[in-house]
Amino acid sequence: MKPIDCIEESRTVRLGDAEVNFRLRRSARRRSVSLHIDERGLTVSVPWRCSEQRLLTTLRDAEQWVLKRLAAWTHQHPAPLTWRTGDELQYLGRPLALEVALSKGRPRAARLHDRLLITVPNPADAPGVQKVGVKWLRAAALEVFIAHALRLAPSMGVAVPRIFLSSARTRWGSCNSDGSIRLNWRLVQAREALIEYVIVHELAHFHEMNHGPRFWGHVVRVCPNHRARRAELNEIGRRLLLMPIP
């Protein structure tokens, strides 16, 4: 049997006015201390025989960085949806309150002003509610994307493309030589100015299959403030891409 060369335990430390939970990973192969923050929170990796004093000193020296990064992650990555009444979805840059109700008929979803009403046979079945909600978002996304493409294509000097939905985890859109573009359905969570930018970006590729000066010339004719829109999308994009697929 191979000897254990890595162990992990849950710990808590007080940093500033906050009690911070973290995972402590001890490894026989590690020679230095490292801190990492992701969707699971703070992970501290240390050498096997790292002393408690060295661990605490490292955490307190990095106190401001840790608290700032945890706050930023929480802002960009809110708590996951439970798909129950009271949750909030994002739709076209605005909150959409989720309301789940009992129905003996077929599951369905309907937007009522600032609410999304989902009726299902079992409101406590979160995966079932999620499936209905995501189906509605995908249908709404296709409708929104097609409407923007119909309006923007003539301004870009290209034929109106066929629109398909994508579930990519790292990109918002792509264009194909057959005259179609694929757009990530999760983009429907963003405000319409950002959706417009992504569609203009993809339409510009029908002129130039690169990101050279002539490509950006086509973009800027329709989106003169494309840099600001791209920066905003980059800022919120990772959070939007977390919307799950049932």
Side-chain angles (χ1 to χ4, degrees):
M1 178 180 291
K2 292 183 177 179
I4 298 174
D5 63 358
C6 182
I7 60 172
E8 182 174 313
E9 61 179 299
S10 298
R11 298 282 296 273
T12 301
V13 64
R14 187 166 189 82
L15 298 179
D17 295 327
E19 290 287 336
V20 176
N21 297 318
F22 67 97
R23 288 182 311 284
L24 177 64
R25 293 174 56 92
R26 293 186 181 273
S27 173
R29 300 180 181 181
R30 176 166 286 278
R31 295 292 178 265
S32 60
V33 179
S34 73
L35 310 180
H36 178 71
I37 293 173
D38 58 17
E39 69 275 7
R40 298 172 299 172
L42 172 64
T43 299
V44 184
S45 300
V46 301
W48 191 271
R49 296 185 180 279
C50 178
S51 69
E52 191 71 10
Q53 184 60 48
R54 183 183 177 188
L55 171 63
L56 293 176
T57 298
T58 300
L59 286 168
R60 286 175 180 146
D61 286 347
E63 177 180 294
Q64 294 303 313
W65 179 85
V66 169
L67 294 176
K68 183 177 180 180
R69 288 289 296 164
L70 286 174
W73 189 273
T74 301
H75 173 72
Q76 295 179 15
H77 306 269
L81 291 169
T82 62
W83 294 97
R84 291 181 171 84
T85 295
D87 276 356
E88 277 191 352
L89 307 177
Q90 289 296 309
Y91 176 67
L92 300 181
R94 298 184 294 274
L96 198 58
L98 182 63
E99 183 177 335
V100 183
L102 175 67
S103 170
K104 295 183 179 179
R106 295 180 61 183
R108 63 187 301 269
R111 182 187 173 202
L112 305 173
H113 302 292
D114 59 353
R115 294 182 297 135
L116 181 65
L117 174 63
I118 296 179
T119 54
V120 289
N122 180 8
D125 176 19
V129 175
Q130 174 184 316
K131 185 175 182 178
V132 177
V134 170
K135 182 179 179 180
W136 181 88
L137 281 169
R138 290 177 63 96
L142 188 59
E143 183 177 334
V144 169
F145 298 163
I146 288 174
H148 277 291
L150 286 169
R151 177 176 57 84
L152 293 167
S155 301
M156 295 293 294
V158 300
V160 176
R162 290 177 296 157
I163 304 293
F164 297 97
L165 296 182
S166 158
S167 295
R169 283 297 189 183
T170 59
R171 63 192 304 182
W172 293 116
S174 62
C175 70
N176 300 294
S177 58
D178 64 1
S180 66
I181 63 176
R182 292 186 177 275
L183 298 169
N184 195 315
W185 65 269
R186 297 177 183 86
L187 185 61
V188 78
Q189 299 170 93
R191 64 190 187 93
E192 293 195 79
L194 305 187
I195 295 173
E196 180 182 74
Y197 161 70
V198 173
I199 293 175
V200 167
H201 184 112
E202 298 308 326
L203 293 176
H205 277 308
F206 290 130
H207 292 291
E208 300 288 335
M209 293 299 292
N210 55 60
H211 291 104
R214 288 194 295 181
F215 167 84
W216 291 111
H218 289 292
V219 173
V220 78
R221 280 192 298 104
V222 177
C223 281
N225 63 341
H226 66 90
R227 288 187 178 86
R229 298 192 199 190
R230 185 167 70 250
E232 182 181 344
L233 188 58
N234 287 339
E235 181 179 349
I236 67 172
R238 191 166 184 177
R239 171 171 55 83
L240 301 185
L241 287 168
L242 288 176
M243 171 63 76
I245 302 174

